[in-house]
Amino acid sequence: MAKIKHHNFLNTVHEVFTDAKQAGVLHLYAGGSSFSGRTIEVDGRELYHFGTTGYLGLEQDSRLKEAAINAIEKYGTQFPLSKSYISNPLYKELEDCIQELYGQPIVITKNSTLGHLGVIPSAVDDNDVIILDHQVHWRQKCSKQEVFPSK
C-alpha cells in the first residue's frame, strides 16, 4: 500500500469512497421499520449484518433503551452544542467511569467515525505510514439464503 501524502489525501479519499459506492458497500440506506442488530434490510434484501460498530450488541439491550429514553426526557433527542464548547453532563459521567476502569484519560465521541476524525490527524505525522489490511471495516453483503441455503 502506498504512503498517502497530504497533497493527494483528498484525491485518495474521493477515489476510495467512489470505488466503495460503485461496489455497493457505501452510502447505503437501511430499509424496514425496525432494526434488530443481527440482520438489516438493504435494497429489499434481508442480510446478516457484520458491518456494525455495536460490537457488544448493546444497542438492543432493554436496560440501555430505558436509560436512553430517560436521557431523552431530560436532555432532548440531542445536545445541540459542540462538545469542544459545552458537553452533555452524561458524557462527563461516562468519561469518569471509563477513566476509572482503565486508569487513562478518556474522551467519548458520539460514534467511531467522529473519534477517528479527531484522533487520527493528531496521532499520525507526515512521516508516519499506516498499513491497513483488506478487512478493515469491510462488510460483505450476504443474504440469509447464501449462509443457510434451503434444503
Side-chain angles (χ1 to χ4, degrees):
M1 175 171 270
K3 180 177 177 181
I4 298 174
K5 296 190 182 287
H6 288 279
H7 69 274
N8 69 357
F9 176 75
L10 292 178
N11 290 336
T12 301
V13 169
H14 176 72
E15 184 178 326
V16 168
F17 274 63
T18 299
D19 290 349
K21 187 173 180 180
Q22 289 173 351
V25 296
L26 193 67
H27 293 180
L28 304 171
Y29 289 94
S33 60
S34 65
F35 181 65
S36 71
R38 181 180 172 130
T39 62
I40 190 166
E41 184 183 316
V42 179
D43 293 330
R45 295 176 60 204
E46 188 174 352
L47 309 170
Y48 281 100
H49 189 246
F50 300 102
T52 181
T53 54
Y55 302 115
L56 301 176
L58 296 175
E59 64 275 5
Q60 294 297 330
D61 184 281
S62 60
R63 298 164 300 174
L64 292 178
K65 287 180 178 181
E66 174 107 8
I69 291 167
N70 290 335
I72 289 169
E73 292 294 333
K74 291 179 181 178
Y75 301 105
T77 58
Q78 64 175 330
F79 195 72
L81 297 169
S82 168
K83 190 173 188 300
S84 60
Y85 173 54
I86 297 177
S87 189
N88 186 309
L90 296 175
Y91 277 82
K92 173 78 169 127
E93 184 179 344
L94 179 58
E95 289 170 345
D96 289 347
C97 288
I98 302 295
Q99 182 168 338
E100 183 179 325
L101 183 66
Y102 289 100
Q104 297 293 324
I106 300 295
V107 175
I108 300 294
T109 59
K110 292 180 182 180
N111 58 50
S112 60
T113 300
L114 291 175
H116 295 154
L117 289 173
V119 171
I120 291 173
S122 302
V124 177
D125 194 294
D126 287 345
N127 296 321
D128 292 333
V129 175
I130 300 174
I131 299 173
L132 307 173
D133 73 12
H134 67 285
Q135 295 183 9
V136 174
H137 276 274
W138 185 262
R139 65 176 166 205
Q140 178 67 39
K141 284 187 178 182
C142 180
S143 73
K144 282 195 227 183
Q145 290 77 26
E146 293 166 343
V147 176
F148 301 108
S150 303
K151 293 186 179 187

